[in-house]
Amino acid sequence: MSIISQLKKSLPKNIIISGDENTRPFECDGLSVYKQKPLAVVLPNEIKHVKKVLEICRKNKTPIVTRGAGTGLSGGAMPIKDSVVLGLSKLTEVISINPVEQTAIVQPGVRNLAISEAADEYGLYYAPDPSSQIACTIGGNVAENAGGVHCLKYGLTVQNIESIKIMTIDGHELVFSREDEGLGLLALMTGSEGLLGIITEITVKLTKKPQLAKLVMAGFDTVRDCANAVAEIIRNGIIPAGLEMMDEFAIKASEDFARPGYPLESKALLLCELDGSEEFVNIDIDKVLSLLSKAQSVRVSESEEERLLLWKGRKSAFPAVGRISPDYYCMDGTIPKRHLADVLEKINDLSKYFSLRVANVFHAGDGNLHPLILYDAGIPGELEKAEEFGNEILKLCIEVGGSITGEHGVGIEKLDAMCYQFNDAELDVFHQIKAAFDPLSLLNPGKAIPTLNRCAELGSMHVHHGDLPHPELERF
């Protein structure tokens, strides 16, 4: 009996999708240049169905790719050949909210924004706010350790969850909590990209809504002046709720798309949000304004509507750039803040070298870059050129002491870059951890952790921990 027949025999038929055309919507995630149709898709609406899928796939040695809303940008939810996609988007129950403990217990298919909507009546919200928060699910956020524009002050997903329940490949339920002593398995599972277990329940930390939030928008004549302002704000002990930066390309695209009122004459834009009590917000606003002497224009939001509109422009940057080019490739790397200006200048040099435009929009406060490389997949060789450009950016991040990802994960996109950042011994530890949880390698196999053979094949391209200078960058 085929695995599809076994699934249909054991599960409600209305949660199983099979056939080439029917499974096509699930052939990729937000990284749509790579596609693979699965054998079948199962969309359980009860946890017991998850356990049954694991049982059948384990018995048949069939790979399982877990999927949330499919908004990921690294190919982490892309099916592999002859796999079953386990979609958790129907597990949408907000199980409980505890306003005293300031926590909520939710299923993995609950949308990020829906948590804040459910907690609103208690004056609480869920702080991590990815740009895709209207659609992305909390289960996917945990799998990728997602961030957002407010992660500087309030942290990434890993700092905002109290515990998670997972189901192992053997169907056993485990609970990992922040209160556990020892190995820190809660942190290990956060960002594990579906390689170690299936997330079935999350207890998130809720945050009290601030009394006041104001946004400072500053335009600069140069990217370097803007980047230096970021460093000055942090150096002076100010911790903004959000500290975002956009270059000229991103400013114009976002203004055309969302009409937030950005200064089109600026070469770089800084968005700095301060929140808390009215007294301390106003004190911090004055401090920030005193550090923006090189800004050509400064504006402070005067209402909640204005603040949200200014953020709307930043959060709309990805679709805004998408209107300009047939295709774009969104990168994700993290660097020490002191290197922001130098790295952005080198990205501009790379843009000229590859003859591909790039829009820079990123979480400046924690150095998480999101360069958007524009290309046309209809032109032979342009996709490969965009990928090479992206690879050079990731090498650059490593060379200045950063990382190949901040919040998008590794997936299939950054497998080669993992070889640049980690040596063989370190990668071997990753493989051992994977084997401890999933000895048959059925959970999202081939993602996130490259084989040692793959790294060996990269040969002289292999770079470890910031070896400088990189020979490719000597072209500049």
Side-chain angles (χ1 to χ4, degrees):
M1 186 185 299
S2 72
I3 188 167
I4 295 176
S5 298
Q6 293 175 54
L7 290 168
K8 289 181 176 179
K9 182 180 178 181
S10 304
L11 296 165
K13 291 183 174 55
N14 64 348
I15 69 170
I16 300 170
I17 300 172
S18 60
D20 276 357
E21 286 306 308
N22 295 333
T23 58
R24 190 175 297 278
F26 299 89
E27 66 185 0
C28 67
D29 58 12
L31 185 65
S32 59
V33 295
Y34 304 113
K35 298 177 181 179
Q36 172 68 56
K37 285 193 285 291
L39 281 175
V41 178
V42 183
L43 302 173
N45 47 31
E46 296 183 51
I47 299 299
K48 66 181 182 181
H49 299 153
V50 175
K51 187 170 185 176
K52 180 56 69 172
V53 172
L54 291 173
E55 178 187 322
I56 293 171
C57 289
R58 185 177 70 251
K59 178 182 175 182
N60 289 271
K61 293 184 172 55
T62 299
I64 303 162
V65 176
T66 311
R67 179 186 177 97
T71 59
L73 293 167
S74 63
M78 187 194 83
I80 64 171
K81 188 177 180 182
D82 297 328
S83 65
V84 168
V85 168
L86 179 59
L88 304 181
S89 58
K90 289 186 176 181
L91 297 172
T92 58
E93 183 182 358
V94 177
I95 298 169
S96 66
I97 294 177
N98 187 327
V100 177
E101 297 291 336
Q102 294 187 195
T103 59
I105 301 175
V106 299
Q107 289 187 319
V110 174
R111 292 179 301 111
N112 176 288
L113 187 59
I115 300 175
S116 293
E117 291 170 345
D120 183 65
E121 64 178 293
Y122 304 104
L124 303 169
Y125 73 108
Y126 180 63
D129 56 342
S131 295
S132 59
Q133 68 177 150
I134 193 172
C136 66
T137 63
I138 185 64
N141 291 171
V142 174
E144 302 295 328
N145 193 22
V149 299
H150 289 95
C151 63
L152 173 60
K153 182 174 182 178
Y154 294 104
L156 300 166
T157 302
V158 70
Q159 282 89 30
N160 286 274
I161 54 175
E162 296 297 324
S163 67
I164 60 173
K165 286 184 181 179
I166 73 159
M167 195 167 289
T168 69
I169 187 64
D170 295 321
H172 298 137
E173 187 176 83
L174 301 177
V175 179
F176 300 137
S177 170
R178 186 171 301 280
E179 296 178 358
D180 296 339
E181 296 181 359
L183 295 176
L185 296 177
L186 178 63
L188 175 67
M189 289 301 303
T190 307
S192 59
E193 303 192 35
L195 272 69
L196 305 181
I198 311 299
I199 298 166
T200 58
E201 186 180 288
I202 306 106
T203 300
V204 302
K205 180 174 72 175
L206 299 175
T207 299
K208 187 176 180 180
K209 288 185 176 181
Q211 180 183 7
L212 179 66
K214 284 191 174 184
L215 186 67
V216 178
M217 177 178 71
F220 292 83
D221 286 326
T222 70
V223 169
R224 182 169 288 277
D225 285 343
C226 190
N228 288 340
V230 169
E232 278 299 304
I233 290 170
I234 302 298
R235 189 178 296 120
N236 278 270
I238 303 166
I239 306 297
L243 193 57
E244 300 286 304
M245 196 170 151
M246 303 168 70
D247 69 6
E248 182 180 18
F249 195 160
I251 294 168
K252 291 178 178 177
S254 297
E255 177 63 27
D256 187 52
F257 182 80
R259 303 295 180 188
Y262 289 168
L264 295 179
E265 70 279 5
S266 297
K267 301 296 183 184
L269 186 70
L270 184 65
L271 297 173
C272 177
E273 181 167 291
L274 291 310
D275 70 359
S277 69
E278 184 172 353
E279 177 187 359
F280 284 106
V281 167
N282 289 327
I283 290 173
D284 281 346
I285 289 284
D286 289 340
K287 288 181 181 178
V288 169
L289 294 178
S290 71
L291 300 172
L292 300 178
S293 59
K294 292 192 176 181
Q296 64 174 188
S297 66
V298 178
R299 173 177 157 194
V300 180
S301 63
E302 297 296 333
S303 67
E304 181 67 2
E305 292 74 22
E306 183 180 9
R307 182 185 74 87
L308 293 175
L309 180 59
L310 293 175
W311 275 129
K312 181 181 179 181
R314 162 60 184 88
K315 291 193 173 188
S316 300
F318 288 12
V321 171
R323 299 170 71 208
I324 296 171
S325 174
D327 304 283
Y328 72 77
Y329 184 27
C330 177
M331 297 304 300
D332 166 49
T334 302
I335 63 171
K337 291 182 287 293
R338 66 183 181 275
H339 292 301
L340 276 174
D342 291 335
V343 168
L344 290 171
E345 287 179 358
K346 288 183 179 179
I347 289 175
N348 186 55
D349 289 339
L350 287 166
S351 175
K352 294 174 183 176
Y353 178 83
F354 286 104
S355 300
L356 293 174
R357 294 181 295 170
V358 60
N360 286 292
V361 50
F362 54 95
H363 310 314
D366 62 353
N368 189 188
L369 306 178
H370 292 314
L372 306 177
I373 302 169
L374 280 63
Y375 71 98
D376 185 348
I379 300 175
E382 279 230 335
L383 169 59
E384 291 75 16
K385 192 162 60 168
E387 290 178 315
E388 187 179 352
F389 185 174
N391 219 22
E392 291 295 334
I393 292 174
L394 296 180
K395 290 179 186 177
L396 182 56
C397 289
I398 296 167
E399 288 165 0
V400 298
S403 170
I404 62 168
T405 181
E407 57 175 333
H408 290 179
V410 177
I412 59 170
E413 176 204 18
K414 300 187 183 78
L415 281 172
D416 287 349
M418 285 286 285
C419 299
Y420 310 146
Q421 182 164 353
F422 298 102
N423 61 40
D424 290 350
E426 291 164 335
L427 291 172
D428 187 53
V429 171
F430 295 157
H431 283 290
Q432 291 180 50
I433 294 171
K434 166 70 169 168
F437 282 87
D438 180 22
L440 298 179
S441 194
L442 297 179
L443 296 175
N444 217 7
K447 310 279 184 68
I449 312 170
T451 64
L452 299 184
N453 284 342
R454 183 185 187 116
C455 292
E457 289 170 2
L458 290 175
S460 61
M461 296 173 64
H462 203 139
V463 178
H464 291 306
H465 304 303
D467 295 337
L468 286 172
H470 190 280
E472 292 296 310
L473 294 178
E474 292 177 359
R475 295 183 297 228
F476 314 122

